[in-house]
Amino acid sequence: MARTFTEGSKAVAETVKLCRPNVIAAYPITPQTHISEELAQMVANGELKAEYVTVESEFAAASVVLGASATGARSYTATSSQGLLLMTEVLFNISGMRLPVVMTCANRAISSPINIWNDQQDSISVRDAGWVQLYAEDIQEASDLHLQAFRIAEHPEVLLPVMVCMDGFILTHAYEPVDLIEQKEADAFLPPYQPQYYLTPKNPITFGAMMGPESYMEARCQLDRALCGSTRIVEEVAKEFKKRFGRFQGALVDTYCIEGAEIVLVAMGSVISTIKEAIDLLRKEGVKVGLLKVRCFRPFPREAIKEALVGAREVLAIDRAFSPGSGGVLATEIRASLQDVKKAPEIKGHIAGLGGREISVETIINIVKDRKSVGIEDRFVDLKEALLK
Amino acid sequence: MEATWKKHLRKETLPLPFCPGCGHGILLGAILRAIDASGIDIKDMLFVSGIGCAGWIPSPHIKADTMHVTHGRPIAFATGAKLFNPRLKVMVVSGDGDLASIGGNHLIHAARRDIDMVVVCANNEIYGMTGGQVSPTTGLGVKTTTTLAGNVEPPLDLCRLVEAAGASYVARSTVFHLEHLIGILKKALGHKGFSFIDALSPCPVQYGRRNLYASPAEQLKDLEKRCVPLEKARSMTQEVLKGRIVIGEFVCRGEH
């Protein structure tokens, strides 16, 4: 293992290279582009023996990796924002055909208005596409998650695509010290993909055939069961990763200072590091506050969340995306998870950091201190009232 | 005295966001000069643009109705606007990546329908805004961030594409040939039917520096050198024309 000071996108590209993908297809979109450029460079240098294709749209990128994966190739793509939304139709097909594609989503806001900065509206908007969704807290985790993602996706009990979500710019363009795994170690952790079902003239099969009212529902139910069942694999893979490489940043969820915490903040992505800093300061003031980090958003780890939140008095969810007309998505899911818990904590939703608006340590401290002023409706944090008139 | 075409600019949005040496500012000037010279009331116009550097040519700089839409789709949005309000003079300004790659399908079908609009492709032969990746009009052997050893895929000739699809006015020029460019823009504005203008516009920052142009001026001069007028090209062989840019009017059919 070698420690290096590197950019988030480069660390991810280095890890994707370790996964030895056979086919990579990508279309440029900020802030994902550094990842695909790095991979293009590796292929051009002969360091990575993969087919790399610069396609005409994200729709094509997703379609190319679908096709490649169906022939048994380990396939990878990366995108962001509008690019992910353009892929939406294909995302459903990839999961429906049970193809273990891995994708990086460099999280970014959605148009309109045009905004290239970070929030998580893109990946949250495709939460129902049947993909495993994992959210990274820092560059190290973003990088490590890719190695884990292929293991989860290709597990015979899962066979579903995995989306690794990392906050655009905050993680893709930042530099941090990162421990990169050696190729030999990576190969031992992630052996070559052994597809069970794939397109080959030797044994012709059909992908994506029509299924009418007599069987479509069962296929959808199977997908749901596989996705729900993947929680066990996500945990197993994280544990094995820890055993081999000594790093563990949570499996389905992770916690920080949650012992005896009366107030628990819940969030996903890079804001987790900010929250940890805020908690350290608040704890010094005697505020009994802790953190629940949701690392795996799909499948939604209800049991792990329930276990972590039982005993808390108040839960403050921080969402970097929302469902207009309903509220914070994480807040809503947590409410549903705790509905059968007796003396369930009070859950308050906070929508923050949209379109690149900063969530600082101070923002988090204010969320904790102002919590009494939040009603049933999820609150937009740090709104500029003057702009709303 | 200020040039009359400058009244069409939203002064509060200036300066333009383009990199030093970019051709897109010249193209914006050419479009406004053509409109000014045509006597068209800019209030009757709608400008639609997609995503990428070229999307910023009309939006938000032109003082008229402008709509900045999703990547690759300006022609489809413009079609919708034109259908409900046929009196609108609709101009789409977008880049080669936007119009020819992700939105290539819309380009073909709008040309096939010969719908009355002007489509200007600000063709810089690269994805500029996202950091210099290969585009469908990048020439063979050109170095980009995704073709580090030189592009191996042949470029798309957009004029031939839309001509085959059914466009009734098709022309190509460059920002170097300013008078010629203004001339064909004027003609396109006066044309009834689908007009397509391929306007070559150099990108010194993403394209130029990776392909060893010493300066934007040198890149512009090289662009001129690569160009061959259509009349001259007619007597040249395909072999000789390889890598050259043929400029001129390719199709001019029907009403003006």
Side-chain angles (χ1 to χ4, degrees):
Chain A
M1 194 128 26
R3 173 160 291 198
T4 158
F5 184 69
T6 192
E7 194 201 35
S9 297
K10 179 136 171 63
V12 166
E14 288 289 345
T15 310
V16 170
K17 182 178 100 177
L18 293 175
C19 299
R20 298 186 189 274
N22 304 108
V23 176
I24 301 166
Y27 186 81
I29 183 166
T30 305
Q32 162 276 128
T33 28
H34 289 189
I35 301 172
S36 42
E37 282 172 11
E38 281 295 334
L39 288 165
Q41 175 115 45
M42 289 165 182
V43 173
N45 291 351
E47 298 161 34
L48 172 59
K49 289 199 178 1
E51 294 296 333
Y52 183 100
V53 56
T54 54
V55 284
E56 63 277 15
S57 71
E58 285 90 358
F59 195 91
S63 303
V64 166
V65 292
L66 180 152
S69 185
T71 64
R74 184 171 281 167
S75 310
Y76 171 82
T77 185
T79 193
S80 290
S81 183
Q82 305 301 122
L84 186 67
L85 295 200
L86 186 59
M87 285 182 178
T88 307
E89 186 183 2
V90 193
L91 298 182
F92 281 76
N93 275 275
I94 292 172
S95 63
M97 293 185 198
R98 306 293 300 273
L99 298 170
V101 168
V102 169
M103 174 205 292
T104 311
C105 174
N107 287 113
R108 168 185 144 179
I110 295 292
S111 298
S112 162
I114 299 172
N115 178 299
I116 62 159
W117 291 273
N118 166 251
D119 67 32
Q120 294 167 343
Q121 193 68 54
D122 48 3
S123 55
I124 290 296
S125 298
V126 296
R127 67 192 168 155
D128 298 337
W131 287 52
V132 174
Q133 281 195 353
L134 307 170
Y135 287 78
E137 168 185 346
D138 54 26
I139 293 173
Q140 182 71 62
E141 188 174 29
S143 153
D144 291 347
L145 272 175
H146 286 81
L147 208 51
Q148 298 182 28
F150 277 108
R151 270 286 298 272
I152 297 162
E154 292 168 6
H155 193 287
E157 286 173 36
V158 180
L159 287 180
L160 282 171
V162 177
M163 190 181 298
V164 178
C165 304
M166 65 191 292
D167 284 322
F169 296 111
I170 300 173
L171 297 184
T172 55
H173 286 53
Y175 279 69
E176 275 178 17
V178 181
D179 287 323
L180 288 173
I181 293 160
E182 303 289 333
Q183 185 66 61
K184 217 166 66 190
E185 299 172 304
D187 289 343
F189 181 78
L190 180 69
Y193 174 38
Q194 302 284 349
Q196 283 175 285
Y197 309 101
Y198 61 101
L199 296 172
T200 165
K202 283 181 212 147
N203 180 27
I205 56 167
T206 298
F207 275 85
M210 177 138 167
M211 289 172 97
E214 74 294 340
S215 55
Y216 174 84
M217 211 163 145
E218 283 69 24
R220 296 295 289 164
C221 172
Q222 278 183 326
L223 184 146
D224 183 58
R225 284 186 182 170
L227 194 52
C228 290
S230 70
T231 49
R232 192 174 64 76
I233 313 301
V234 172
E235 282 182 313
E236 243 178 55
V237 170
K239 276 181 201 154
E240 196 194 320
F241 191 89
K242 183 188 177 187
K243 217 166 87 185
R244 277 182 190 268
F245 308 112
R247 287 197 295 276
F248 183 80
Q249 291 180 273
L252 298 167
V253 299
D254 199 14
T255 58
Y256 183 73
C257 292
I258 206 162
E259 291 293 315
E262 289 171 359
I263 307 156
V264 180
L265 290 148
V266 189
M268 303 194 290
S270 62
V271 74
I272 294 296
S273 309
T274 316
I275 294 175
K276 283 178 180 171
E277 268 190 57
I279 287 176
D280 290 346
L281 294 170
L282 286 163
R283 282 268 171 180
K284 273 186 201 149
E285 287 178 29
V287 186
K288 288 185 180 161
V289 59
L291 163 73
L292 173 66
K293 157 183 165 179
V294 178
R295 187 172 176 266
C296 177
F297 180 71
R298 279 293 179 273
F300 197 71
R302 285 225 170 94
E303 289 309 313
I305 283 172
K306 219 192 273 188
E307 203 180 303
L309 296 181
V310 163
R313 214 176 56 211
E314 287 169 87
V315 169
L316 309 176
I318 299 174
D319 270 291
R320 232 175 180 142
F322 73 113
S323 175
S326 174
V329 171
L330 200 50
T332 308
E333 295 265 6
I334 290 164
R335 285 187 190 108
S337 303
L338 298 181
Q339 53 86 26
D340 60 343
V341 172
K342 277 183 194 146
K343 287 190 187 165
E346 198 180 346
I347 300 151
K348 286 178 173 176
H350 300 78
I351 297 157
L354 301 186
R357 173 102 19 121
E358 194 191 354
I359 306 180
S360 65
V361 173
E362 204 186 4
T363 313
I364 305 294
I365 291 174
N366 289 339
I367 284 174
V368 173
K369 293 196 169 164
D370 298 344
R371 66 188 188 281
K372 297 289 179 208
S373 65
V374 183
I376 313 170
E377 300 294 325
D378 295 350
R379 181 172 74 118
F380 283 87
V381 177
D382 286 346
L383 279 183
K384 293 178 182 169
E385 289 300 330
L387 292 184
L388 291 168
K389 279 174 191 150
Chain B
M1 206 184 85
E2 189 182 74
T4 54
W5 60 271
K6 286 196 178 169
K7 65 177 182 283
H8 299 315
L9 286 169
R10 279 198 184 111
K11 299 274 165 19
E12 66 275 22
T13 65
L14 302 177
L16 298 174
F18 306 120
C19 305
C22 172
H24 287 5
I26 306 173
L27 179 54
L28 171 60
I31 291 168
L32 295 181
R33 282 181 179 100
I35 291 166
D36 204 43
S38 303
I40 296 170
D41 186 351
I42 203 154
K43 290 201 186 88
D44 293 334
M45 288 195 70
L46 165 68
F47 297 86
V48 190
S49 59
I51 298 298
C53 302
W56 290 77
I57 293 174
S59 167
H61 306 105
I62 299 182
K63 208 193 278 176
D65 279 345
T66 61
M67 185 156 64
H68 206 151
V69 300
T70 53
H71 194 21
R73 319 296 157 201
I75 292 175
F77 282 86
T79 302
K82 181 76 184 174
L83 283 175
F84 187 64
N85 192 352
R87 284 189 311 117
L88 266 185
K89 190 89 209 154
V90 177
M91 182 183 267
V92 169
V93 186
S94 223
D96 44 305
D98 191 81
L99 292 171
S101 184
I102 194 164
N105 206 22
H106 305 298
L107 177 66
I108 298 167
H109 292 283
R112 178 175 66 84
R113 292 188 188 106
D114 201 17
I115 184 162
D116 184 26
M117 63 171 71
V118 181
V119 175
V120 180
C121 179
N123 185 353
N124 58 6
E125 304 170 276
I126 202 159
Y127 285 89
M129 187 180 279
T130 44
Q133 296 83 13
V134 68
S135 96
T137 57
T138 306
L140 283 168
V142 172
K143 290 194 171 98
T144 71
T145 52
T146 43
T147 56
L148 295 124
N151 180 27
V152 293
E153 293 176 2
L156 196 53
D157 184 331
L158 297 179
C159 289
R160 286 176 61 196
L161 178 78
V162 292
E163 179 183 348
S168 50
Y169 184 79
V170 182
R172 181 185 286 126
S173 190
T174 83
V175 297
F176 183 91
H177 304 85
L178 192 59
E179 285 307 318
H180 180 248
L181 178 60
I182 296 168
I184 60 170
L185 279 163
K186 263 169 68 182
K187 221 149 164 205
L189 282 164
H191 176 77
K192 195 165 166 48
F194 189 82
S195 307
F196 180 81
I197 289 174
D198 190 16
L200 275 291
S201 170
C203 169
V205 170
Q206 300 295 4
Y207 188 113
R209 73 192 160 108
R210 281 192 183 85
N211 292 282
L212 307 178
Y213 286 104
S215 68
E218 200 200 305
Q219 194 180 351
L220 204 55
K221 278 185 209 152
D222 187 63
L223 179 64
E224 187 212 2
K225 252 191 260 163
R226 284 164 66 202
C227 288
V228 184
L230 179 61
E231 299 71 38
K232 210 170 151 192
R234 283 205 176 105
S235 61
M236 291 161 81
T237 62
Q238 284 301 315
E239 199 56 39
V240 180
L241 283 172
K242 230 178 191 174
R244 307 292 295 272
I245 303 161
V246 181
I247 58 169
E249 248 175 25
F250 301 95
V251 183
C252 182
R253 216 181 35 234
E255 282 179 64
H256 285 281

